[in-house]
Amino acid sequence: MSAASRTPVVIIGAGPVGVTAALLLARRGVHSVVLERHQDVYPLPRAVVVDDEVRRILQSVGVHEEFAALARPARGLRLLDARHRVIAEFPRSPQGHHGFPQTSMFDQPELERLLRDALANRPECELRGGVEVVSVTQDTHGPDDATAPVRVTFRRDGSDEEEHLWADAVLGCDGAGSITRDAVGAAWEDLHFQESWRVIDVRTSRRVRTWEGAEQICCPTRPATFMRVGEDRYRWEFRLPDDEPLDGPDGWERLRNLVAPWADLPSDPSLGDDFEVIRQAQYTFRARIADRWRRGRVFLLGDAAHLTPPFVGQGLCAGLRDAYNLTWKLARVLQQGAHEGLLDTYERERKPHARHVIRVAVAIGWAMTGGQDHGAALRRAVVGTVCRLPGVTAAVSRDLSPALTAGPLVRRRPGLTRRVPAGTFCPQPWVLHDGRRVRLDDLLGDSFAVLTAVPPTAQMTAVATALGARTIRVDDLGDDGALAAWLARGRADAVLLRPDRVVMDTVQAGTGDFTDTAAWAPLLHTARHPADVRHLP
């Protein structure tokens, strides 16, 4: 047995969530080792859609320009009936709140290669492929001991020898069959959706009738999803039993009938060589959430923590949000000695958000499939009626990623929730910096920031100094007044932004001070920082 070594963070799983987490930690100087059982990127497509919030996360790890070259903006989501008549439409903007198209289609292997290329250029990161993790254990001394090192035991391909890594923290990004979930003692909570679907990825030069957005066919006997992924790439998803293959002569005829509303295929499969099925796979779509996401310094992210049906394209998005939320907090604890309680806010903030997104996906799934009971037709009729009400479709699109719930790092006072933007993301306009147009986050950097529409008060300055935050007057940004108008709508003179660009606290108009530094300052106090946020005014 080999001698064990020590690393600040071990990440189990080198999918998009695990590699993004490693890159986010690296930007803050935290070293990590990523353990992955495969030697290379999984070559076949899986996730195909991200939203503008996630594109902002990709910006934070420095791959957004390369991603833009391979992504395809989509118009939104349509619910269609069995005869392909529009029930409801949920449009998505080409320029969202975060400064990117609200919906982008892409090929997951291409994204993974971008992320791995970025990882290879970071000396803080080490990727070890061909590694099977056997166990994750933390020897704590009682329930209050969360800081004990974590032991990760693994084997390399072709070897029976067990090796060990000791880590200050372990991130389980190892999917639905997560060994890390067992390590934290988590169990699944069933959110009541389970159906077997066939996913079909196609490359074709044939004419395909497309709305340039996702289409969900609401039909109790043959529900389906269709979307254009790339220039010549398309995805269909059908609820099919396992015993309906789509290969061979009979399978070709079945496939031809399935895709007939969108593409005309010849009856002779030998004449369909310009319609290439890249992949067909049977999946069981489930809605589940882990009952706990952390034990000591072991955390669950992505599919290890939550599973969602794909009907609103939020599976990968939710996992990348997990990484964005957790990594800045973990870096602050590991590198600057912040309070261990800061890490408790990860599950507290992300779990309700993930639950909301899963429930939206389940609702769309029910609208599509009608479930399996006699109320199916009634539910679809209600969906159609409700979605025709003014403002409903816009509200559903807007609330797909709701504000974080109130807590130590999201300060909202009763009665002011609608006025104060705490818990929401700051918008990201283009701004001027040194004579160049840049995105706001590129100006703000990776730490806290204070955006203010008024001259900074003594308390604002003290907060900024204690947190190492930049203070920026929005009137000086050359953004055509976008941020000033956003502050005005929230009746705020200034906001304090967290490193993940969520509004943590506000200075309400005319008050001059942040609302409640006493709630969050103890969590963010850093033992190795010259300014002590515990003693803020």
Side-chain angles (χ1 to χ4, degrees):
M1 185 176 295
S2 66
S5 57
R6 181 76 172 263
T7 188
V9 179
V10 169
I11 298 172
I12 304 175
V17 176
V19 176
T20 298
L23 290 169
L24 289 166
L25 289 170
R27 289 180 66 94
R28 294 175 169 84
V30 178
H31 289 250
S32 64
V33 174
V34 184
L35 303 179
E36 168 58 45
R37 61 191 179 98
H38 298 294
Q39 288 285 2
D40 199 359
V41 169
Y42 184 71
L44 297 178
R46 288 171 292 174
V48 293
V49 60
V50 293
D51 58 24
D52 56 327
E53 183 180 329
V54 166
R55 287 196 62 169
R56 192 172 187 175
I57 298 172
L58 297 179
Q59 175 192 352
S60 72
V61 298
V63 301
H64 63 293
E65 293 183 357
E66 295 87 346
F67 183 76
L70 59 89
R72 186 182 189 90
R75 294 178 59 183
L77 168 67
R78 275 181 173 174
L79 302 184
L80 309 179
D81 65 14
R83 296 170 61 184
H84 286 235
R85 297 172 300 188
V86 176
I87 299 172
E89 185 173 308
F90 304 94
R92 304 294 274 168
S93 169
Q95 182 75 6
H97 183 81
H98 299 276
F100 297 97
Q102 283 188 302
T103 298
S104 298
M105 313 303 297
F106 70 101
D107 187 16
Q108 180 170 332
E110 292 183 335
L111 170 61
E112 291 199 41
R113 291 187 186 97
L114 287 181
L115 291 169
R116 288 201 182 192
D117 287 346
L119 193 77
N121 291 324
R122 299 297 312 213
E124 303 92 344
C125 306
E126 178 188 354
L127 172 60
R128 300 184 188 178
V131 169
E132 179 190 5
V133 174
V134 176
S135 65
V136 179
T137 56
Q138 184 176 20
D139 297 324
T140 59
H141 302 287
D144 297 326
D145 181 16
T147 62
V150 185
R151 186 175 71 171
V152 179
T153 304
F154 62 93
R155 300 189 191 100
R156 300 178 190 268
D157 277 351
S159 173
D160 293 329
E161 182 181 9
E162 290 189 350
E163 301 179 51
H164 306 286
L165 280 173
W166 290 93
D168 294 317
V170 170
L171 308 187
C173 307
D174 46 347
S178 168
I179 193 171
T180 318
R181 191 171 56 252
D182 295 335
V184 303
W188 284 126
E189 176 189 347
D190 189 357
L191 298 183
H192 308 298
F193 189 94
Q194 180 169 317
E195 291 187 348
S196 183
W197 283 62
R198 188 79 50 82
V199 177
I200 306 162
D201 287 291
V202 167
R203 178 179 288 113
T204 182
S205 58
R206 287 179 172 270
R207 179 178 175 271
V208 178
R209 295 176 286 275
T210 175
W211 171 62
E212 299 295 348
E215 296 177 351
Q216 309 277 25
I217 312 304
C218 302
C219 174
T221 58
R222 187 65 83 208
T225 298
F226 166 71
M227 63 197 79
R228 183 175 188 172
V229 178
E231 188 64 30
D232 61 351
R233 281 276 321 284
Y234 303 87
R235 169 169 290 187
W236 282 273
E237 298 170 358
F238 299 98
R239 191 176 68 191
L240 292 176
D242 293 338
D243 59 357
E244 289 192 20
L246 299 180
D247 41 23
D250 292 341
W252 174 263
E253 182 61 22
R254 190 175 291 117
L255 176 62
R256 191 169 76 92
N257 291 332
L258 287 171
V259 304
W262 298 276
D264 300 318
L265 302 185
S267 57
D268 184 349
S270 66
L271 301 177
D273 57 356
D274 57 352
F275 190 88
E276 177 192 2
V277 177
I278 303 170
R279 179 191 71 149
Q280 59 163 311
Q282 195 80 11
Y283 283 98
T284 300
F285 295 161
R286 292 184 173 92
R288 292 178 174 179
I289 194 164
D291 62 350
R292 61 184 300 172
W293 291 24
R294 176 194 180 196
R295 181 180 182 184
R297 288 279 185 83
V298 183
F299 302 87
L300 302 180
L301 295 81
D303 286 355
H306 41 74
L307 297 173
T308 180
F311 305 125
V312 290
Q314 288 291 304
L316 177 59
C317 295
L320 294 182
R321 289 189 186 106
D322 294 343
Y324 204 34
N325 184 288
L326 175 60
T327 49
W328 74 265
K329 300 170 182 176
L330 183 59
R332 196 167 182 89
V333 170
L334 295 181
Q335 288 203 311
Q336 298 175 274
H339 193 282
E340 192 74 19
L342 179 61
L343 300 176
D344 293 333
T345 66
Y346 164 61
E347 179 178 344
R348 178 172 180 170
E349 292 179 349
R350 285 295 305 135
K351 190 174 182 180
H353 193 286
R355 186 188 298 274
H356 170 90
V357 170
I358 294 170
R359 284 178 169 165
V360 171
V362 168
I364 294 293
W366 280 346
M368 288 177 62
T369 68
Q372 305 299 318
D373 57 41
H374 296 296
L378 177 61
R379 278 199 298 274
R380 289 194 303 278
V382 169
V383 168
T385 301
V386 169
C387 288
R388 292 186 184 97
L389 296 176
V392 168
T393 56
V396 171
S397 297
R398 182 178 62 249
D399 292 340
L400 193 60
S401 181
L404 298 181
T405 54
L409 301 182
V410 175
R411 305 310 302 160
R412 284 204 295 267
R413 290 184 176 180
L416 296 177
T417 302
R418 295 184 179 180
R419 289 166 39 186
V420 180
T424 65
F425 276 91
C426 168
Q428 183 178 211
W430 288 90
V431 299
L432 289 176
H433 177 60
D434 292 337
R436 296 183 303 113
R437 290 182 75 243
V438 299
R439 299 182 192 274
L440 176 65
D441 289 359
D442 294 333
L443 171 63
L444 298 182
D446 295 322
S447 188
F448 291 86
V450 174
L451 297 182
T452 178
V454 299
T457 63
Q459 194 240 24
M460 286 189 217
T461 301
V463 167
T465 301
L467 295 175
R470 296 191 63 173
T471 300
I472 297 177
R473 290 287 300 272
V474 295
D475 293 341
D476 299 331
L477 289 175
D479 64 341
D480 296 326
L483 289 170
W486 171 69
L487 288 173
R489 287 194 299 272
R491 301 189 184 182
D493 284 339
V495 292
L496 175 60
L497 302 182
R498 306 180 344 180
D500 57 6
R501 301 302 160 235
V502 170
V503 177
M504 186 166 78
D505 206 345
T506 61
V507 174
Q508 297 169 30
T511 64
D513 290 335
F514 287 106
T515 55
D516 195 2
T517 58
W520 51 257
L523 292 181
L524 296 174
H525 165 65
T526 57
R528 295 185 286 278
H529 194 286
D532 190 342
V533 296
R534 291 176 300 181
H535 301 144
L536 286 171

